[in-house]
Amino acid sequence: GFVYTQPEDGWIQKPQKAAYEKFLQKCNKQPEQVIFIDDKQINIDAAQAMGFHTIHFTSPEQLQKDLIPYTTGMEHSLTAQQAAH
């Protein structure tokens, strides 16, 4: 998911805590349920402070590698959910 900054919300943006809270509310998620990917360390630091999983983007190849632990866990989780049904 994603959110846009708007005049109605006072133009909040990363790394303001309110921007991350807006995203969580819109997507109905908790920080630990989100993988936050960004190319700016200041935004990564703010997301980590709130409890998000984070990946500091430097290249597509690096991102693909850094996502492996998350996708492997998701595949396992999906398999377990399917088996339960």
Coordinates of all heavy atoms in Angstrom, one line a residue:
G1 N 0.8 -1.2 0.0 CA 0.0 0.0 0.0 C 0.9 1.2 0.0 O 2.1 1.2 0.2
F2 N 0.2 2.3 -0.2 CA 0.9 3.6 -0.2 C -0.1 4.7 0.2 O -1.3 4.5 0.0 CB 1.6 3.9 -1.5 CG 0.7 3.9 -2.7 CD1 0.1 5.0 -3.1 CD2 0.5 2.7 -3.4 CE1 -0.8 5.0 -4.2 CE2 -0.3 2.7 -4.5 CZ -1.0 3.8 -4.9
V3 N 0.4 5.9 0.6 CA -0.4 7.0 0.9 C 0.3 8.3 0.3 O 1.5 8.3 0.1 CB -0.6 7.3 2.4 CG1 -1.5 6.1 3.0 CG2 0.6 7.4 3.1
Y4 N -0.5 9.2 0.0 CA 0.0 10.5 -0.5 C -0.2 11.6 0.5 O -1.1 11.6 1.3 CB -0.9 10.9 -1.7 CG -0.8 10.0 -2.9 CD1 -1.8 9.1 -3.2 CD2 0.3 10.0 -3.8 CE1 -1.7 8.2 -4.2 CE2 0.4 9.1 -4.8 CZ -0.6 8.2 -5.1 OH -0.5 7.4 -6.1
T5 N 0.8 12.5 0.5 CA 0.6 13.7 1.4 C -0.4 14.6 0.7 O -0.5 14.7 -0.5 CB 2.0 14.4 1.5 OG1 1.8 15.5 2.5 CG2 2.6 14.9 0.2
Q6 N -1.2 15.2 1.6 CA -2.3 16.1 1.1 C -2.5 17.3 2.0 O -2.1 17.3 3.2 CB -3.6 15.3 1.2 CG -3.6 14.0 0.5 CD -4.9 13.1 0.7 OE1 -5.8 13.6 1.3 NE2 -4.9 11.9 0.3
P7 N -3.1 18.3 1.5 CA -3.3 19.5 2.3 C -4.2 19.3 3.5 O -4.0 19.9 4.6 CB -3.9 20.5 1.4 CG -4.3 19.8 0.1 CD -3.6 18.5 0.1
E8 N -5.1 18.3 3.4 CA -6.0 18.0 4.5 C -5.3 17.5 5.7 O -5.8 17.6 6.8 CB -7.1 17.0 4.0 CG -8.0 17.5 2.9 CD -7.4 17.3 1.5 OE1 -6.6 16.4 1.3 OE2 -7.7 18.2 0.7
D9 N -4.2 16.8 5.5 CA -3.4 16.3 6.6 C -2.2 17.1 7.0 O -1.3 16.7 7.7 CB -3.0 14.8 6.4 CG -2.1 14.6 5.2 OD1 -1.4 15.6 4.8 OD2 -2.0 13.5 4.7
G10 N -2.2 18.3 6.5 CA -1.1 19.2 6.8 C 0.2 18.9 6.1 O 1.3 19.3 6.5
W11 N 0.1 18.2 5.0 CA 1.3 17.8 4.1 C 2.3 17.0 4.9 O 3.5 17.1 4.7 CB 1.9 19.1 3.5 CG 1.1 19.8 2.6 CD1 0.5 21.0 2.8 CD2 0.6 19.4 1.3 NE1 -0.3 21.4 1.7 CE2 -0.2 20.5 0.8 CE3 0.9 18.3 0.5 CZ2 -0.8 20.4 -0.5 CZ3 0.3 18.3 -0.8 CH2 -0.5 19.3 -1.3
I12 N 1.8 16.1 5.8 CA 2.8 15.3 6.5 C 3.5 14.4 5.5 O 3.0 14.0 4.5 CB 2.1 14.4 7.6 CG1 1.0 13.5 7.0 CG2 1.5 15.2 8.7 CD1 0.4 12.5 7.9
Q13 N 4.7 14.2 5.9 CA 5.5 13.3 5.0 C 6.6 12.6 5.8 O 6.9 13.0 6.9 CB 6.1 14.1 3.8 CG 7.0 15.3 4.3 CD 7.5 16.1 3.1 OE1 7.5 15.7 2.0 NE2 7.8 17.4 3.4
K14 N 7.2 11.6 5.2 CA 8.4 10.9 5.8 C 9.5 11.9 6.0 O 9.6 12.8 5.2 CB 8.9 9.8 4.9 CG 7.9 8.7 4.5 CD 8.4 7.8 3.6 CE 8.7 8.4 2.2 NZ 9.2 7.5 1.2
P15 N 10.2 11.9 7.1 CA 10.2 10.9 8.2 C 9.3 11.2 9.4 O 9.5 10.7 10.5 CB 11.6 10.8 8.6 CG 12.1 12.2 8.4 CD 11.3 12.8 7.2
Q16 N 8.3 12.1 9.2 CA 7.4 12.4 10.3 C 6.6 11.2 10.7 O 6.1 10.4 9.9 CB 6.4 13.5 9.9 CG 7.0 14.9 9.6 CD 6.0 15.9 9.1 OE1 5.3 15.5 8.1 NE2 6.0 17.0 9.6
K17 N 6.5 11.0 12.0 CA 5.8 9.8 12.6 C 4.4 9.7 12.1 O 3.9 8.7 11.8 CB 5.9 9.9 14.1 CG 5.3 8.7 14.8 CD 5.5 8.7 16.3 CE 4.9 7.5 16.9 NZ 5.0 7.5 18.4
A18 N 3.8 10.9 12.0 CA 2.4 10.9 11.5 C 2.2 10.3 10.1 O 1.1 9.8 9.8 CB 1.8 12.4 11.6
A19 N 3.2 10.4 9.3 CA 3.1 9.9 7.9 C 3.0 8.3 8.0 O 2.2 7.7 7.3 CB 4.3 10.3 7.1
Y20 N 3.8 7.8 8.9 CA 3.8 6.3 9.0 C 2.5 5.8 9.7 O 1.9 4.8 9.3 CB 5.0 5.8 9.9 CG 6.3 6.2 9.2 CD1 7.0 7.4 9.5 CD2 6.9 5.4 8.3 CE1 8.2 7.8 8.9 CE2 8.1 5.7 7.7 CZ 8.7 6.9 8.0 OH 9.9 7.3 7.4
E21 N 2.0 6.6 10.7 CA 0.8 6.3 11.3 C -0.4 6.4 10.3 O -1.3 5.5 10.4 CB 0.5 7.2 12.5 CG 1.5 7.0 13.6 CD 1.5 8.0 14.7 OE1 1.0 9.2 14.5 OE2 2.0 7.7 15.8
K22 N -0.4 7.3 9.4 CA -1.4 7.5 8.4 C -1.4 6.2 7.5 O -2.5 5.7 7.2 CB -1.2 8.7 7.6 CG -2.2 8.9 6.5 CD -1.9 10.2 5.7 CE -2.8 10.4 4.5 NZ -2.5 11.6 3.8
F23 N -0.3 5.8 7.1 CA -0.2 4.5 6.3 C -0.7 3.3 7.1 O -1.5 2.6 6.5 CB 1.3 4.3 5.9 CG 1.5 2.9 5.3 CD1 1.2 2.8 3.9 CD2 1.9 1.8 6.0 CE1 1.4 1.5 3.3 CE2 2.0 0.6 5.4 CZ 1.8 0.4 4.1
L24 N -0.4 3.2 8.3 CA -0.8 2.0 9.1 C -2.3 2.0 9.2 O -3.0 1.0 9.1 CB -0.2 2.0 10.5 CG 1.3 1.7 10.5 CD1 1.9 2.0 11.9 CD2 1.6 0.3 10.0
Q25 N -2.9 3.2 9.5 CA -4.3 3.3 9.6 C -5.0 3.0 8.3 O -6.0 2.3 8.3 CB -4.7 4.8 10.1 CG -6.2 4.9 10.3 CD -6.5 6.3 10.8 OE1 -5.7 7.2 10.9 NE2 -7.8 6.5 11.2
K26 N -4.5 3.6 7.2 CA -5.2 3.4 5.9 C -5.2 1.9 5.6 O -6.1 1.3 5.0 CB -4.5 4.2 4.8 CG -5.1 3.9 3.5 CD -4.3 4.6 2.4 CE -5.0 4.3 1.0 NZ -4.1 4.6 -0.1
C27 N -4.1 1.2 5.8 CA -3.9 -0.2 5.4 C -4.4 -1.2 6.5 O -4.3 -2.4 6.3 CB -2.4 -0.5 5.1 SG -1.9 0.5 3.6
N28 N -4.8 -0.6 7.7 CA -5.2 -1.5 8.8 C -4.1 -2.5 9.2 O -4.4 -3.7 9.2 CB -6.5 -2.1 8.5 CG -7.2 -2.7 9.8 OD1 -7.0 -2.2 10.9 ND2 -7.9 -3.8 9.6
K29 N -2.9 -2.0 9.4 CA -1.8 -2.9 9.7 C -1.1 -2.4 10.9 O -1.2 -1.2 11.3 CB -0.8 -2.9 8.5 CG -1.3 -3.5 7.3 CD -1.5 -5.0 7.4 CE -2.1 -5.5 6.1 NZ -2.6 -6.9 6.2
Q30 N -0.3 -3.3 11.6 CA 0.6 -3.0 12.6 C 2.0 -2.8 12.0 O 2.3 -3.5 11.0 CB 0.6 -4.0 13.7 CG -0.8 -4.2 14.4 CD -1.1 -2.9 15.2 OE1 -0.3 -2.3 15.9 NE2 -2.4 -2.4 14.9
P31 N 2.9 -2.1 12.6 CA 4.2 -1.9 12.1 C 4.9 -3.2 11.8 O 5.6 -3.4 10.7 CB 5.0 -1.1 13.1 CG 3.9 -0.4 13.9 CD 2.7 -1.3 13.9
E32 N 4.8 -4.2 12.7 CA 5.5 -5.5 12.5 C 5.0 -6.3 11.3 O 5.6 -7.3 10.9 CB 5.5 -6.3 13.8 CG 4.1 -6.7 14.2 CD 3.4 -5.7 15.1 OE1 4.0 -4.5 15.3 OE2 2.3 -6.0 15.6
Q33 N 3.8 -5.8 10.7 CA 3.3 -6.5 9.6 C 3.7 -5.9 8.2 O 3.3 -6.4 7.2 CB 1.7 -6.5 9.6 CG 1.1 -7.2 10.8 CD -0.4 -6.9 10.9 OE1 -0.8 -5.8 11.1 NE2 -1.1 -8.0 10.8
V34 N 4.6 -4.9 8.3 CA 4.9 -4.1 7.1 C 6.4 -4.2 6.8 O 7.3 -4.2 7.8 CB 4.6 -2.6 7.3 CG1 5.0 -1.8 6.1 CG2 3.1 -2.5 7.5
I35 N 6.8 -4.4 5.6 CA 8.2 -4.2 5.1 C 8.3 -2.9 4.5 O 7.7 -2.6 3.4 CB 8.6 -5.3 4.1 CG1 8.4 -6.7 4.7 CG2 10.0 -5.2 3.7 CD1 8.5 -7.8 3.7
F36 N 9.0 -2.0 5.1 CA 9.2 -0.6 4.6 C 10.4 -0.6 3.8 O 11.5 -0.9 4.3 CB 9.2 0.4 5.8 CG 9.4 1.8 5.4 CD1 8.3 2.6 5.0 CD2 10.7 2.4 5.4 CE1 8.5 3.9 4.6 CE2 10.9 3.7 5.0 CZ 9.8 4.4 4.6
I37 N 10.3 -0.1 2.5 CA 11.5 -0.1 1.6 C 11.7 1.4 1.2 O 10.7 2.0 0.7 CB 11.3 -0.9 0.4 CG1 11.0 -2.4 0.8 CG2 12.4 -0.8 -0.6 CD1 10.4 -3.3 -0.3
D38 N 12.9 1.9 1.3 CA 13.1 3.3 1.0 C 14.6 3.4 0.7 O 15.4 2.7 1.1 CB 12.7 4.2 2.1 CG 12.5 5.6 1.7 OD1 13.5 6.3 1.3 OD2 11.3 6.1 1.8
D39 N 14.9 4.5 -0.1 CA 16.3 4.7 -0.4 C 17.0 5.7 0.5 O 18.2 6.0 0.3 CB 16.5 5.1 -1.9 CG 15.8 6.4 -2.2 OD1 14.9 6.9 -1.4 OD2 16.1 7.0 -3.3
K40 N 16.2 6.3 1.4 CA 16.8 7.3 2.3 C 16.9 6.8 3.7 O 15.9 6.4 4.3 CB 15.9 8.6 2.3 CG 15.9 9.3 0.9 CD 15.1 10.6 1.0 CE 15.2 11.2 -0.4 NZ 14.3 12.4 -0.5
Q41 N 18.1 6.8 4.2 CA 18.4 6.3 5.6 C 17.5 7.0 6.6 O 17.1 6.3 7.6 CB 19.9 6.4 5.9 CG 20.3 5.7 7.2 CD 20.0 4.2 7.1 OE1 20.4 3.5 6.1 NE2 19.4 3.6 8.1
I42 N 17.3 8.2 6.5 CA 16.5 8.9 7.5 C 15.1 8.4 7.6 O 14.5 8.2 8.7 CB 16.5 10.5 7.3 CG1 15.9 11.2 8.5 CG2 15.7 10.8 6.0 CD1 16.1 12.7 8.5
N43 N 14.5 8.0 6.5 CA 13.2 7.4 6.5 C 13.2 5.9 7.0 O 12.3 5.5 7.7 CB 12.6 7.4 5.1 CG 12.4 8.8 4.5 OD1 12.2 9.7 5.3 ND2 12.4 8.9 3.2
I44 N 14.3 5.2 6.7 CA 14.5 3.9 7.3 C 14.6 3.9 8.8 O 13.9 3.2 9.5 CB 15.7 3.2 6.7 CG1 15.6 2.9 5.2 CG2 16.1 2.0 7.4 CD1 14.6 1.9 4.8
D45 N 15.4 4.9 9.3 CA 15.5 5.0 10.7 C 14.2 5.3 11.4 O 13.9 4.7 12.5 CB 16.5 6.1 11.1 CG 18.0 5.8 10.6 OD1 18.3 4.6 10.3 OD2 18.8 6.7 10.5
A46 N 13.4 6.2 10.8 CA 12.1 6.5 11.4 C 11.2 5.3 11.4 O 10.5 5.0 12.4 CB 11.5 7.7 10.7
A47 N 11.2 4.5 10.4 CA 10.3 3.4 10.3 C 10.8 2.3 11.3 O 9.9 1.7 12.0 CB 10.3 2.8 8.9
Q48 N 12.1 2.1 11.4 CA 12.6 1.1 12.4 C 12.2 1.5 13.8 O 11.9 0.7 14.6 CB 14.1 1.0 12.3 CG 14.6 0.2 11.1 CD 16.1 0.2 11.0 OE1 16.8 1.1 11.5 NE2 16.6 -0.8 10.3
A49 N 12.3 2.8 14.1 CA 11.9 3.3 15.4 C 10.5 3.0 15.8 O 10.1 2.8 17.0 CB 12.2 4.8 15.5
M50 N 9.6 2.9 14.8 CA 8.2 2.5 15.0 C 7.9 1.0 14.9 O 6.8 0.6 15.2 CB 7.4 3.3 13.9 CG 7.4 4.8 14.1 SD 6.2 5.5 13.0 CE 4.6 4.9 13.7
G51 N 8.9 0.2 14.6 CA 8.8 -1.2 14.6 C 8.5 -1.9 13.3 O 8.2 -3.1 13.2
F52 N 8.7 -1.1 12.2 CA 8.5 -1.7 10.9 C 9.8 -2.6 10.6 O 10.9 -2.3 11.0 CB 8.5 -0.6 9.8 CG 7.3 0.2 9.7 CD1 7.0 1.2 10.6 CD2 6.4 0.0 8.7 CE1 5.9 2.0 10.5 CE2 5.3 0.8 8.6 CZ 5.0 1.8 9.5
H53 N 9.6 -3.6 9.7 CA 10.7 -4.3 9.1 C 11.1 -3.3 8.0 O 10.3 -2.6 7.4 CB 10.2 -5.6 8.4 CG 9.7 -6.6 9.4 ND1 10.5 -7.4 10.2 CD2 8.4 -6.8 9.8 CE1 9.8 -8.1 10.9 NE2 8.5 -7.8 10.7
T54 N 12.4 -3.2 7.8 CA 12.9 -2.2 6.8 C 14.0 -2.8 5.9 O 14.7 -3.7 6.2 CB 13.5 -1.0 7.5 OG1 14.6 -1.4 8.3 CG2 12.5 -0.3 8.3
I55 N 14.0 -2.2 4.7 CA 15.1 -2.6 3.7 C 15.5 -1.2 3.1 O 14.7 -0.5 2.6 CB 14.6 -3.5 2.6 CG1 14.2 -4.9 3.2 CG2 15.7 -3.7 1.5 CD1 13.6 -5.8 2.2
H56 N 16.8 -1.0 3.2 CA 17.3 0.3 2.6 C 17.7 -0.1 1.2 O 18.6 -0.8 0.9 CB 18.6 0.7 3.4 CG 19.1 2.0 2.9 ND1 20.3 2.5 3.4 CD2 18.6 3.0 2.1 CE1 20.5 3.7 2.8 NE2 19.5 4.0 2.0
F57 N 16.9 0.5 0.3 CA 17.1 0.2 -1.2 C 18.3 0.9 -1.7 O 18.5 2.1 -1.6 CB 15.8 0.7 -1.9 CG 16.0 0.5 -3.4 CD1 15.6 -0.7 -4.0 CD2 16.4 1.5 -4.3 CE1 15.7 -0.9 -5.3 CE2 16.5 1.3 -5.6 CZ 16.2 0.1 -6.2
T58 N 19.2 0.1 -2.4 CA 20.3 0.7 -3.1 C 20.4 0.2 -4.5 O 21.0 0.9 -5.3 CB 21.6 0.3 -2.4 OG1 21.7 -1.1 -2.3 CG2 21.7 0.9 -1.0
S59 N 19.8 -1.0 -4.8 CA 19.7 -1.5 -6.2 C 18.6 -2.5 -6.3 O 18.3 -3.1 -5.3 CB 21.1 -2.1 -6.6 OG 21.3 -3.3 -5.9
P60 N 18.1 -2.8 -7.5 CA 17.1 -3.8 -7.6 C 17.7 -5.2 -7.2 O 17.0 -6.0 -6.6 CB 16.8 -3.8 -9.1 CG 17.2 -2.4 -9.6 CD 18.3 -2.0 -8.7
E61 N 18.9 -5.5 -7.5 CA 19.5 -6.7 -7.1 C 19.6 -6.9 -5.6 O 19.3 -8.0 -5.0 CB 20.9 -6.9 -7.7 CG 21.0 -6.9 -9.2 CD 20.8 -5.5 -9.9 OE1 21.0 -4.5 -9.2 OE2 20.5 -5.5 -11.1
Q62 N 20.0 -5.8 -4.9 CA 20.1 -5.9 -3.5 C 18.7 -6.0 -2.9 O 18.5 -6.8 -1.9 CB 20.8 -4.6 -3.0 CG 20.6 -4.3 -1.5 CD 19.4 -3.4 -1.2 OE1 19.1 -2.5 -2.0 NE2 18.7 -3.6 -0.1
L63 N 17.7 -5.4 -3.4 CA 16.4 -5.5 -2.9 C 15.9 -6.9 -3.0 O 15.3 -7.5 -2.1 CB 15.4 -4.5 -3.6 CG 13.9 -4.6 -3.2 CD1 13.8 -4.3 -1.8 CD2 13.1 -3.7 -4.1
Q64 N 16.1 -7.5 -4.2 CA 15.6 -8.9 -4.4 C 16.3 -9.8 -3.4 O 15.6 -10.6 -2.8 CB 16.0 -9.3 -5.8 CG 15.5 -10.7 -6.2 CD 15.7 -11.0 -7.6 OE1 16.6 -10.5 -8.2 NE2 15.0 -12.0 -8.1
K65 N 17.6 -9.6 -3.1 CA 18.3 -10.4 -2.1 C 17.7 -10.2 -0.7 O 17.5 -11.2 0.0 CB 19.8 -10.1 -2.2 CG 20.6 -10.9 -1.2 CD 22.1 -10.5 -1.2 CE 22.8 -11.1 -0.1 NZ 24.0 -10.3 0.3
D66 N 17.5 -8.9 -0.4 CA 17.0 -8.6 1.0 C 15.6 -9.0 1.2 O 15.2 -9.2 2.4 CB 17.2 -7.1 1.3 CG 18.7 -6.7 1.4 OD1 19.5 -7.6 1.5 OD2 18.9 -5.5 1.5
L67 N 14.8 -9.2 0.2 CA 13.4 -9.7 0.4 C 13.3 -11.2 0.6 O 12.3 -11.6 1.1 CB 12.6 -9.3 -0.9 CG 12.1 -7.8 -0.9 CD1 11.5 -7.5 -2.3 CD2 11.1 -7.5 0.2
I68 N 14.3 -11.9 0.3 CA 14.3 -13.4 0.4 C 13.8 -13.9 1.7 O 12.9 -14.7 1.8 CB 15.6 -14.1 0.0 CG1 15.8 -13.9 -1.5 CG2 15.7 -15.5 0.4 CD1 17.2 -14.3 -2.0
P69 N 14.4 -13.4 2.8 CA 13.9 -13.9 4.1 C 12.4 -13.7 4.4 O 11.7 -14.5 5.0 CB 14.7 -13.1 5.2 CG 15.9 -12.6 4.4 CD 15.5 -12.5 3.0
Y70 N 11.9 -12.6 3.8 CA 10.5 -12.3 4.0 C 9.6 -13.1 3.1 O 8.5 -13.6 3.5 CB 10.2 -10.8 3.7 CG 10.9 -9.9 4.7 CD1 12.0 -9.2 4.3 CD2 10.5 -9.8 6.0 CE1 12.7 -8.4 5.1 CE2 11.2 -8.9 6.9 CZ 12.3 -8.2 6.4 OH 13.0 -7.4 7.3
T71 N 10.0 -13.3 1.9 CA 9.2 -14.1 1.0 C 9.2 -15.6 1.3 O 8.2 -16.3 1.2 CB 9.6 -13.9 -0.5 OG1 11.0 -14.3 -0.6 CG2 9.4 -12.5 -1.0
T72 N 10.3 -16.1 1.8 CA 10.4 -17.5 2.3 C 9.5 -17.7 3.4 O 8.7 -18.7 3.4 CB 11.9 -17.8 2.7 OG1 12.7 -17.6 1.5 CG2 12.0 -19.3 3.1
G73 N 9.5 -16.8 4.4 CA 8.6 -16.9 5.5 C 7.1 -16.9 5.1 O 6.3 -17.6 5.6
M74 N 6.8 -16.0 4.1 CA 5.4 -15.9 3.6 C 5.0 -17.1 2.9 O 3.9 -17.6 3.1 CB 5.3 -14.7 2.7 CG 5.4 -13.3 3.4 SD 5.6 -11.9 2.3 CE 4.4 -12.2 1.1
E75 N 5.9 -17.7 2.1 CA 5.5 -19.0 1.5 C 5.2 -20.1 2.5 O 4.2 -20.8 2.3 CB 6.6 -19.4 0.5 CG 6.8 -18.5 -0.7 CD 8.1 -18.8 -1.5 OE1 8.9 -19.7 -1.0 OE2 8.3 -18.1 -2.5
H76 N 6.0 -20.1 3.5 CA 5.8 -21.1 4.6 C 4.5 -20.9 5.2 O 3.7 -21.8 5.5 CB 7.0 -21.1 5.6 CG 6.8 -22.1 6.7 ND1 6.2 -21.8 7.9 CD2 7.1 -23.4 6.8 CE1 6.2 -22.8 8.6 NE2 6.7 -23.9 8.0
S77 N 4.2 -19.6 5.6 CA 3.0 -19.2 6.2 C 1.8 -19.6 5.4 O 0.8 -20.1 5.9 CB 3.0 -17.8 6.6 OG 1.8 -17.4 7.2
L78 N 1.8 -19.3 4.1 CA 0.7 -19.5 3.2 C 0.5 -21.0 3.1 O -0.6 -21.5 3.1 CB 1.0 -18.9 1.8 CG 1.0 -17.4 1.7 CD1 1.4 -17.0 0.3 CD2 -0.4 -16.9 2.0
T79 N 1.6 -21.8 3.0 CA 1.4 -23.3 2.9 C 0.8 -23.8 4.2 O -0.1 -24.6 4.1 CB 2.8 -23.9 2.7 OG1 3.4 -23.4 1.6 CG2 2.7 -25.4 2.6
A80 N 1.1 -23.3 5.3 CA 0.5 -23.7 6.6 C -0.9 -23.4 6.6 O -1.8 -24.2 7.1 CB 1.3 -23.1 7.8
Q81 N -1.3 -22.2 6.2 CA -2.7 -21.8 6.2 C -3.5 -22.6 5.2 O -4.6 -23.0 5.5 CB -2.8 -20.3 5.7 CG -2.3 -19.3 6.8 CD -2.3 -17.9 6.3 OE1 -2.8 -17.6 5.2 NE2 -1.8 -17.0 7.1
Q82 N -3.0 -22.9 4.1 CA -3.7 -23.8 3.1 C -3.9 -25.2 3.7 O -4.9 -25.8 3.5 CB -2.9 -23.8 1.8 CG -2.9 -22.5 1.0 CD -2.0 -22.5 -0.2 OE1 -1.2 -23.4 -0.3 NE2 -2.1 -21.4 -1.0
A83 N -2.9 -25.7 4.3 CA -3.0 -27.0 4.9 C -4.1 -27.1 6.0 O -4.7 -28.1 6.2 CB -1.7 -27.5 5.5
A84 N -4.3 -26.0 6.7 CA -5.3 -25.9 7.8 C -6.7 -25.9 7.3 O -7.6 -26.3 8.0 CB -5.0 -24.7 8.7
H85 N -6.9 -25.5 6.0 CA -8.2 -25.4 5.4 C -8.6 -26.7 4.8 O -8.9 -27.4 4.2 CB -8.3 -24.2 4.5 CG -8.3 -22.9 5.2 ND1 -7.1 -22.2 5.3 CD2 -9.2 -22.3 5.9 CE1 -7.4 -21.1 6.0 NE2 -8.7 -21.1 6.3

